[in-house]
């Protein structure tokens, strides 16, 4: 099969990872890099691909099968709209938009168009998460009752020194990191309907939060509680416990979610299950059957690219749609609203 022709827009931190994955794939070829800076042009020359300053120029000069938008958040909607107009499928990095209102503008355009758009919540493509989702859906732990989650990790000072915007609203861990967790929680337990939250900036003393404590209500009646901090030196985060991304240290015995059901519980990502077997009366006086399922690790960013290929070829519909990306962003905005007002926010 001929390789699909992909253009990458925004050759920054994540854009360069996409480029690496495209180069490793036998299904796609990088044919252009798009961006305003001189560094982008130099990179295009080094990789011997076409360079274009912006998307309209790309579409005017080259035929591509798909575009990856790895640009700053505020550009996602405008650039995705240009892709729709050109009839070119796009993988849009998360968050789908920099505000819910902008995201709704894109959703309106996407819903009247046949051009597929995939949002870059890459963890949705994690084999570990897929297995956890299947276990819950099969009823192995009974009816889901509650989820306890954590994303407690420590970002080095250099992370904030390299980019001052990370100290300000828009750069904090609720938008940057927790949005991935929200995608995970929704993929495990379904839609979130209510949010309560407290945030703190007491430790780093930036204008943006460094820590948050959040309560969720899900549409299926389950409740969730989640702790987030980028200044808590623990391994209880998705990256450090899942081992899916080699740039992070890995602690295979650590867990970041506990999903509790009426028949048992599932720890993620270890996939340890403690459950009452069918013939047994469920009771805290009785011992659980204990089992640990095999964990297959695969880079979710690479799995996401393979899925994007299937989407472009018309063999799959986007696993994370604009609607999904927007729901994740709505939950983020609700968390900020809940933290600012002290109210329980209905979505
Ligand atoms: N899924 C994931 O795990 C991750 C996702 N992200 C998301 O990816 C996006 C990019 O983040 P990140 O890579 O950290 O950001 P960077 O700042 O490292 O990169 C952004 C890139 O976009 C380029 N750019 C700026 N303006 C334009 C424009 N008008 N047209 C085309 N390119 C432009 C910049 O070029 P120049 O330098 O010349 O200005 C830069 O190369 C964000 O939305 C972020 O949330 C980020 C990290 C991880
Ligand atoms: O921008 C980001 C920085 O680190 C994260 C780890 O939670 C990324 O996955 C995220 O998208």
């Amino acid at each position: 099969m001929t390789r699909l022709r992909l253009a990458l827009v925004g050759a920054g931190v994540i854009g360069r990872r996409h480029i690496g994955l495209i180069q490793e794939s036998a299904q796609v070829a990088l044919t252009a890099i798009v961006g305003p800076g001189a560094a982008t042009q130099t990179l295009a020359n080094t990789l011997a691909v076409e360079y274009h300053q912006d998307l309209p120029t790309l579409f005017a000069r080259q035929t591509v099968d798909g575009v990856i938008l790895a640009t700053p958040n505020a550009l996602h909607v405008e650039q995705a709209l240009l892709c729709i107009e050109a009839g070119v499928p796009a993988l849009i990095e998360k968050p789908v938009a920099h505000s819910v209102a902008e995201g709704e503008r894109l959703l309106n355009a996407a819903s009247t168009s046949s051009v597929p758009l995939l949002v870059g919540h890459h963890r949705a493509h994690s084999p570990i998460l897929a297995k956890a989702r299947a276990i819950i859906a099969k009823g192995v732990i009974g009816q889901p009752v509650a989820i306890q989650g954590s994303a407690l990790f420590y970002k080095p000072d250099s992370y904030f020194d390299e980019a001052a915007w990370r100290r300000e609203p828009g750069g904090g861990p609720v938008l940057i990191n927790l949005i991935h967790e929200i995608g995970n929680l929704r993929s495990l337990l379904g839609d979130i309907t209510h949010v309560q939250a407290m945030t703190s900036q007491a430790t780093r003393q930036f204008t943006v939060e460094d820590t948050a404590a959040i309560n969720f209500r899900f549409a299926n009646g389950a409740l969730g509680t989640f702790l987030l901090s980028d200044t808590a030196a623990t391994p209880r985060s998705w990256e450090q416990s899942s081992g899916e991304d080699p740039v992070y240290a890995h602690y295979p015995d650590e867990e970041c979610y506990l999903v509790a059901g009426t028949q048992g519980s599932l720890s993620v990502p270890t996939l340890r299950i403690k459950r009452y077997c069918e013939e047994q009366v469920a009771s805290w006086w009785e011992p659980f059957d204990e089992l640990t399922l095999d964990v297959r690790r695969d880079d979710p960013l690479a799995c996401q690219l393979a899925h994007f290929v299937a989407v472009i070829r018309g063999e799959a519909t986007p696993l994370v749609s604009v609607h999904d990306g927007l729901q994740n962003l709505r939950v983020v905005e609700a968390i900020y609203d809940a933290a600012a007002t002290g109210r329980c926010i209905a979505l």
Side-chain angles (χ1 to χ4, degrees), residues 242-299:
S242 73
E244 284 181 339
D245 187 337
V247 305
Y248 297 92
H250 180 209
Y251 297 86
D253 59 327
E254 290 285 353
E255 296 163 336
C256 59
Y257 310 145
L258 177 77
V259 190
T262 50
Q263 200 65 26
S265 63
L266 167 70
S267 299
V268 184
T270 53
L271 300 186
R272 279 199 273 244
I273 296 174
K274 290 189 175 61
R275 68 186 292 265
Y276 297 120
C277 59
E278 265 106 59
E279 314 76 62
Q280 204 180 348
V281 174
S283 159
W284 63 355
W285 288 294
E286 298 298 327
F288 290 111
D289 268 1
E290 299 186 34
L291 67 149
T292 302
L293 302 181
D294 287 342
V295 178
R296 180 170 69 83
R297 287 193 181 78
D298 219 337
D299 178 355

Side-chain angles (χ1 to χ4, degrees), residues 46-91:
T46 309
L47 298 175
V49 299
E50 281 188 21
Y51 164 76
H52 298 291
Q53 197 153 17
D54 53 33
L55 267 176
T57 318
L58 167 79
F59 293 140
R61 306 222 176 123
Q62 197 186 81
T63 303
V64 287
D65 300 304
V67 162
I68 298 181
L69 300 176
T71 45
N73 301 348
L75 302 176
H76 292 179
V77 169
E78 282 311 325
Q79 292 179 333
L81 289 170
L82 288 171
C83 292
I84 291 178
E85 207 179 296
V88 177
L91 164 52

